[in-house]
């Protein structure tokens, strides 16, 4: 059997796989739907700094679910408006690159379900090169990445990380 063939039906996945699958998919879904759960135009510009609760006045007025998601976004992401997507006239709680990472994490985990997938160190490093180059070059030069590049590089890194998370879940099932 090759390393990419299905090894067991989806209904037979273990407890840890179900937990990790639920968390990754639920979190990605929350991030993607958060702007829709707010009144149109409620967020305004959330640009700020990582590690600082910049948007307390805005976040405190949100419903409890959005309050949690936007609070975590505010603390863990710069939320620069030009590096974030917006819909329903609301900025997303995380920047485009972070959205790509979280969605990629869920997609990578889903891809790996029912498969015996092996990751090698060169493959992991290769998957991180695009996000590393895009972010680092942008940080140290006049180059400004686009949100499409940010989301794609985030998806690649998140996808492989999702596969790694699936491997971890499988190892927990054996213990």
């Amino acid at each position: 059997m090759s390393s990419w063939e299905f090894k067991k039906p989806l209904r037979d996945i273990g407890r840890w796989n179900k937990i990790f699958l639920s968390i990754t998919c639920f979190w990605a879904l929350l991030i993607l739907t958060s702007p829709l759960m707010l009144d149109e135009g409620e967020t305004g510009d959330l640009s700020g700094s990582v590690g600082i609760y910049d948007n307390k006045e805005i976040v405190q007025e949100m419903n409890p679910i959005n309050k949690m998601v936007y609070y975590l976004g505010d603390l863990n992401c710069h939320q620069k408006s030009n590096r974030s997507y917006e819909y329903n006239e609301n900025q997303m709680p995380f920047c485009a690159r972070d959205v790509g990472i979280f969605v990629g994490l869920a997609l990578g985990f889903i891809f790996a379900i029912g498969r015996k997938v092996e990751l090698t160190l060169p493959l992991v490093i290769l998957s991180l090169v695009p996000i590393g180059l895009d972010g680092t070059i942008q940080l140290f030069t006049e180059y400004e990445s686009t949100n499409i590049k940010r989301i794609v590089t985030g998806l690649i890194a998140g996808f492989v990380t999702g596969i790694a998370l699936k491997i971890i879940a499988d190892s927990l099932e054996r213990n």
Side-chain angles (χ1 to χ4, degrees), residues 102-156:
F102 290 128
V103 170
L105 188 66
L107 292 175
F109 197 92
I110 290 167
F111 171 80
I113 290 176
R115 301 174 193 266
K116 184 180 183 328
V117 182
E118 297 175 13
L119 288 179
T120 62
L121 184 58
L123 180 60
V124 172
I125 292 170
L126 187 62
S127 73
L128 298 175
V129 166
I131 199 170
L133 285 174
D134 191 49
T136 304
I137 292 170
Q138 180 175 274
L139 182 63
F140 293 113
T141 69
E142 297 296 315
Y143 165 76
E144 183 68 23
S145 186
T146 65
N147 282 345
I148 295 290
K149 288 179 186 173
R150 290 182 187 107
I151 214 138
V152 168
T153 59
L155 279 167
I156 294 167

Coordinates of all heavy atoms in Angstrom, one line a residue, residues 102-156:
F102 N -5.1 28.9 9.1 CA -6.2 28.2 9.9 C -7.1 27.3 8.9 O -7.4 26.2 9.3 CB -7.1 29.2 10.6 CG -6.4 29.8 11.8 CD1 -6.4 31.2 12.0 CD2 -5.7 29.0 12.8 CE1 -5.7 31.8 13.1 CE2 -5.1 29.6 13.9 CZ -5.1 31.0 14.0
V103 N -7.4 27.9 7.8 CA -8.2 27.1 6.8 C -7.3 25.9 6.3 O -7.8 24.8 6.1 CB -8.7 28.0 5.7 CG1 -9.3 27.1 4.5 CG2 -9.7 29.0 6.2
G104 N -6.1 26.2 6.0 CA -5.2 25.1 5.5 C -5.0 24.0 6.6 O -4.9 22.8 6.2
L105 N -5.0 24.4 7.8 CA -4.9 23.4 8.9 C -6.0 22.5 8.9 O -5.8 21.2 8.9 CB -4.8 24.2 10.3 CG -4.5 23.4 11.5 CD1 -3.1 22.9 11.5 CD2 -4.7 24.3 12.7
A106 N -7.2 23.0 8.7 CA -8.4 22.1 8.7 C -8.4 21.3 7.4 O -8.7 20.1 7.4 CB -9.7 23.0 8.7
L107 N -8.1 21.9 6.3 CA -8.0 21.1 5.0 C -7.0 20.0 5.0 O -7.2 18.9 4.5 CB -7.8 22.1 3.8 CG -8.9 23.1 3.5 CD1 -8.5 24.0 2.4 CD2 -10.2 22.3 3.2
G108 N -5.8 20.3 5.6 CA -4.8 19.3 5.6 C -5.2 18.2 6.5 O -4.9 17.0 6.2
F109 N -5.8 18.5 7.6 CA -6.3 17.4 8.5 C -7.3 16.6 7.8 O -7.3 15.3 7.9 CB -6.8 18.0 9.8 CG -6.9 17.0 10.9 CD1 -5.9 16.8 11.8 CD2 -8.1 16.2 11.1 CE1 -6.0 15.9 12.8 CE2 -8.2 15.2 12.1 CZ -7.1 15.1 13.0
I110 N -8.3 17.2 7.2 CA -9.3 16.5 6.4 C -8.7 15.6 5.3 O -9.1 14.5 5.2 CB -10.4 17.5 5.8 CG1 -11.2 18.1 6.9 CG2 -11.3 16.8 4.8 CD1 -12.0 19.3 6.5
F111 N -7.8 16.2 4.6 CA -7.1 15.4 3.6 C -6.5 14.1 4.1 O -6.5 13.1 3.5 CB -6.0 16.3 2.9 CG -5.1 15.5 1.9 CD1 -5.6 15.2 0.7 CD2 -3.9 15.0 2.3 CE1 -4.8 14.4 -0.2 CE2 -3.1 14.3 1.5 CZ -3.5 14.0 0.2
A112 N -5.9 14.2 5.3 CA -5.1 13.1 5.9 C -6.0 12.0 6.5 O -5.5 10.9 6.8 CB -4.1 13.6 6.9
I113 N -7.3 12.4 6.7 CA -8.1 11.4 7.4 C -8.3 10.2 6.5 O -8.5 10.3 5.3 CB -9.5 12.0 7.7 CG1 -9.4 13.0 8.8 CG2 -10.5 10.9 8.1 CD1 -10.6 13.7 9.1
G114 N -8.2 9.0 7.1 CA -8.3 7.8 6.3 C -7.1 7.4 5.5 O -7.2 6.5 4.7
R115 N -6.1 8.2 5.6 CA -4.9 7.9 4.8 C -3.7 7.7 5.7 O -3.6 8.2 6.8 CB -4.5 9.1 3.9 CG -5.6 9.5 2.9 CD -5.2 10.8 2.2 NE -6.3 11.4 1.5 CZ -6.6 11.2 0.2 NH1 -5.8 10.4 -0.5 NH2 -7.6 11.7 -0.4
K116 N -2.8 6.9 5.2 CA -1.5 6.8 6.0 C -0.5 7.7 5.3 O -0.1 7.4 4.2 CB -1.0 5.3 5.9 CG 0.3 5.1 6.7 CD 0.7 3.7 6.6 CE 1.9 3.3 7.4 NZ 2.9 4.3 7.6
V117 N -0.3 8.9 5.9 CA 0.5 9.9 5.3 C 1.8 10.0 6.1 O 1.7 10.1 7.3 CB -0.3 11.3 5.3 CG1 0.5 12.3 4.6 CG2 -1.6 11.1 4.6
E118 N 2.9 10.2 5.4 CA 4.1 10.4 6.1 C 4.7 11.7 5.7 O 4.7 12.0 4.5 CB 5.1 9.2 5.8 CG 4.6 7.9 6.3 CD 5.5 6.7 5.9 OE1 6.6 6.9 5.4 OE2 5.0 5.6 6.1
L119 N 5.2 12.4 6.6 CA 5.9 13.7 6.3 C 7.4 13.5 6.5 O 7.8 12.9 7.5 CB 5.4 14.8 7.2 CG 4.0 15.3 6.9 CD1 3.6 16.4 7.9 CD2 3.9 15.9 5.5
T120 N 8.2 14.1 5.6 CA 9.6 14.1 5.8 C 10.0 15.5 6.2 O 9.3 16.5 5.8 CB 10.3 13.7 4.5 OG1 10.0 14.6 3.5 CG2 9.9 12.3 4.1
L121 N 11.1 15.7 6.8 CA 11.6 17.0 7.2 C 11.8 17.9 6.0 O 11.4 19.1 6.0 CB 12.9 16.9 8.0 CG 13.4 18.2 8.5 CD1 12.4 18.9 9.4 CD2 14.7 18.0 9.3
P122 N 12.4 17.4 4.9 CA 12.5 18.3 3.7 C 11.1 18.8 3.2 O 11.0 19.9 2.8 CB 13.2 17.4 2.6 CG 13.9 16.4 3.4 CD 13.1 16.1 4.7
L123 N 10.1 17.9 3.2 CA 8.8 18.4 2.8 C 8.2 19.4 3.7 O 7.6 20.4 3.2 CB 7.8 17.2 2.7 CG 6.4 17.5 2.2 CD1 6.4 18.1 0.8 CD2 5.5 16.2 2.3
V124 N 8.4 19.3 5.0 CA 7.9 20.3 6.0 C 8.6 21.6 5.7 O 8.0 22.7 5.6 CB 8.1 19.8 7.4 CG1 7.8 20.9 8.4 CG2 7.2 18.6 7.7
I125 N 9.9 21.6 5.6 CA 10.7 22.8 5.3 C 10.3 23.4 4.0 O 10.1 24.6 4.0 CB 12.2 22.5 5.4 CG1 12.6 22.1 6.8 CG2 13.0 23.7 4.8 CD1 14.0 21.6 6.9
L126 N 10.1 22.6 3.0 CA 9.7 23.1 1.7 C 8.3 23.8 1.8 O 8.1 24.8 1.1 CB 9.7 22.0 0.7 CG 9.4 22.4 -0.8 CD1 10.5 23.3 -1.3 CD2 9.3 21.1 -1.6
S127 N 7.4 23.3 2.6 CA 6.1 23.9 2.7 C 6.1 25.2 3.4 O 5.2 26.1 3.3 CB 5.1 22.9 3.4 OG 5.4 22.9 4.8
L128 N 7.2 25.4 4.2 CA 7.3 26.7 5.0 C 8.1 27.8 4.2 O 8.1 28.9 4.6 CB 7.9 26.4 6.4 CG 7.1 25.5 7.3 CD1 7.9 25.2 8.5 CD2 5.8 26.1 7.6
V129 N 8.8 27.4 3.2 CA 9.6 28.3 2.4 C 8.8 29.5 1.8 O 9.1 30.6 2.0 CB 10.5 27.6 1.4 CG1 11.0 28.6 0.3 CG2 11.6 26.8 2.0
P130 N 7.6 29.2 1.2 CA 6.9 30.3 0.6 C 6.4 31.3 1.6 O 6.6 32.5 1.4 CB 5.7 29.6 -0.1 CG 6.1 28.2 -0.3 CD 7.1 27.9 0.8
I131 N 5.9 30.9 2.7 CA 5.4 31.8 3.7 C 6.6 32.6 4.4 O 6.5 33.8 4.6 CB 4.5 31.1 4.8 CG1 3.6 32.1 5.6 CG2 5.4 30.3 5.8 CD1 2.6 31.4 6.5
G132 N 7.7 31.9 4.6 CA 8.8 32.5 5.1 C 9.4 33.6 4.2 O 9.8 34.7 4.6
L133 N 9.5 33.2 2.9 CA 10.1 34.2 2.0 C 9.2 35.4 1.8 O 9.6 36.5 1.8 CB 10.3 33.5 0.6 CG 11.5 32.6 0.5 CD1 11.5 31.9 -0.9 CD2 12.8 33.4 0.7
D134 N 7.9 35.1 1.6 CA 6.9 36.2 1.4 C 6.9 37.2 2.6 O 7.0 38.4 2.4 CB 5.5 35.6 1.2 CG 4.5 36.7 0.7 OD1 4.9 37.4 -0.3 OD2 3.4 36.7 1.3
G135 N 6.8 36.6 3.8 CA 6.8 37.5 5.0 C 8.1 38.2 5.3 O 8.1 39.4 5.6
T136 N 9.2 37.5 5.1 CA 10.5 38.1 5.4 C 10.9 39.1 4.4 O 11.4 40.2 4.8 CB 11.6 37.0 5.5 OG1 11.2 36.0 6.5 CG2 13.0 37.5 5.9
I137 N 10.7 38.9 3.1 CA 11.1 39.8 2.1 C 10.2 41.1 2.3 O 10.7 42.2 2.2 CB 10.9 39.3 0.7 CG1 11.9 38.2 0.4 CG2 11.0 40.4 -0.4 CD1 11.7 37.4 -0.8
Q138 N 9.0 40.9 2.7 CA 8.1 42.1 2.9 C 8.6 42.9 4.1 O 8.5 44.1 4.1 CB 6.7 41.5 3.1 CG 5.7 42.6 3.4 CD 4.3 42.1 3.5 OE1 3.6 41.9 2.5 NE2 3.8 41.8 4.7
L139 N 9.0 42.2 5.1 CA 9.5 42.8 6.4 C 10.7 43.7 6.1 O 10.8 44.8 6.7 CB 9.8 41.8 7.4 CG 10.2 42.3 8.8 CD1 9.1 43.1 9.5 CD2 10.5 41.1 9.7
F140 N 11.7 43.2 5.3 CA 13.0 43.9 5.2 C 13.2 44.7 3.9 O 14.2 45.2 3.7 CB 14.1 42.8 5.4 CG 14.2 42.3 6.7 CD1 13.9 40.9 7.0 CD2 14.5 43.0 7.8 CE1 13.9 40.4 8.3 CE2 14.6 42.5 9.1 CZ 14.3 41.2 9.3
T141 N 12.2 44.7 3.0 CA 12.3 45.4 1.8 C 11.1 46.3 1.5 O 10.2 46.3 2.4 CB 12.5 44.5 0.6 OG1 11.3 43.8 0.3 CG2 13.7 43.5 0.8
E142 N 11.1 46.9 0.4 CA 9.9 47.7 0.0 C 8.8 46.9 -0.6 O 7.7 47.4 -0.9 CB 10.3 48.8 -1.0 CG 11.3 49.8 -0.5 CD 10.7 50.7 0.6 OE1 9.6 51.1 0.5 OE2 11.4 50.8 1.7
Y143 N 9.1 45.6 -0.8 CA 8.1 44.7 -1.4 C 6.9 44.6 -0.5 O 7.0 44.4 0.7 CB 8.7 43.3 -1.5 CG 7.8 42.1 -1.8 CD1 7.2 42.0 -3.1 CD2 7.5 41.3 -0.8 CE1 6.3 40.9 -3.3 CE2 6.6 40.2 -1.0 CZ 6.0 40.0 -2.3 OH 5.2 39.0 -2.5
E144 N 5.7 44.7 -1.1 CA 4.4 44.5 -0.4 C 3.7 43.3 -1.0 O 3.3 43.4 -2.2 CB 3.6 45.8 -0.5 CG 2.3 45.7 0.3 CD 2.5 45.7 1.8 OE1 3.5 46.1 2.3 OE2 1.5 45.2 2.5
S145 N 3.5 42.3 -0.3 CA 2.8 41.1 -0.8 C 1.3 41.5 -1.0 O 0.9 42.5 -0.6 CB 2.9 40.0 0.3 OG 2.4 38.8 -0.2
T146 N 0.6 40.6 -1.7 CA -0.8 40.8 -1.9 C -1.6 39.8 -1.0 O -1.0 38.8 -0.5 CB -1.2 40.5 -3.4 OG1 -0.9 39.1 -3.6 CG2 -0.4 41.3 -4.3
N147 N -2.8 40.1 -0.8 CA -3.6 39.2 0.0 C -3.8 37.8 -0.6 O -3.9 36.8 0.1 CB -5.0 39.8 0.4 CG -4.9 40.9 1.4 OD1 -3.9 40.9 2.2 ND2 -5.9 41.7 1.6
I148 N -3.8 37.7 -1.9 CA -3.9 36.4 -2.6 C -2.6 35.6 -2.2 O -2.7 34.5 -1.9 CB -4.0 36.6 -4.1 CG1 -5.3 37.3 -4.5 CG2 -3.8 35.3 -4.8 CD1 -6.5 36.4 -4.2
K149 N -1.4 36.2 -2.3 CA -0.2 35.6 -2.0 C -0.1 35.2 -0.5 O 0.3 34.1 -0.2 CB 1.1 36.4 -2.3 CG 1.3 36.6 -3.8 CD 2.5 37.5 -4.0 CE 2.7 37.8 -5.5 NZ 3.8 38.8 -5.7
R150 N -0.6 36.1 0.3 CA -0.7 35.8 1.8 C -1.6 34.6 2.1 O -1.2 33.7 2.8 CB -1.2 37.0 2.5 CG -0.2 38.1 2.5 CD -0.7 39.3 3.4 NE 0.1 40.4 3.2 CZ -0.2 41.5 2.5 NH1 -1.4 41.6 2.0 NH2 0.7 42.5 2.4
I151 N -2.7 34.5 1.4 CA -3.6 33.4 1.7 C -3.1 32.1 1.2 O -3.2 31.1 1.8 CB -5.1 33.7 1.2 CG1 -6.1 33.1 2.2 CG2 -5.4 33.2 -0.1 CD1 -7.2 33.9 2.5
V152 N -2.5 32.2 0.0 CA -1.9 30.9 -0.6 C -0.7 30.4 0.2 O -0.6 29.2 0.5 CB -1.5 31.2 -2.1 CG1 -0.7 30.0 -2.7 CG2 -2.7 31.4 -3.0
T153 N 0.2 31.3 0.6 CA 1.3 30.8 1.4 C 0.9 30.3 2.8 O 1.4 29.3 3.3 CB 2.4 31.9 1.6 OG1 1.8 33.1 2.2 CG2 3.0 32.3 0.2
G154 N -0.2 31.0 3.3 CA -0.7 30.5 4.6 C -1.4 29.1 4.4 O -1.3 28.2 5.3
L155 N -2.1 28.9 3.3 CA -2.8 27.6 3.0 C -1.8 26.5 2.9 O -2.0 25.4 3.5 CB -3.6 27.7 1.7 CG -5.0 28.3 1.8 CD1 -5.5 28.6 0.4 CD2 -5.9 27.5 2.6
I156 N -0.7 26.8 2.2 CA 0.4 25.7 2.1 C 1.0 25.4 3.4 O 1.0 24.2 3.8 CB 1.5 26.2 1.1 CG1 1.0 26.4 -0.3 CG2 2.7 25.3 1.1 CD1 1.9 27.2 -1.2

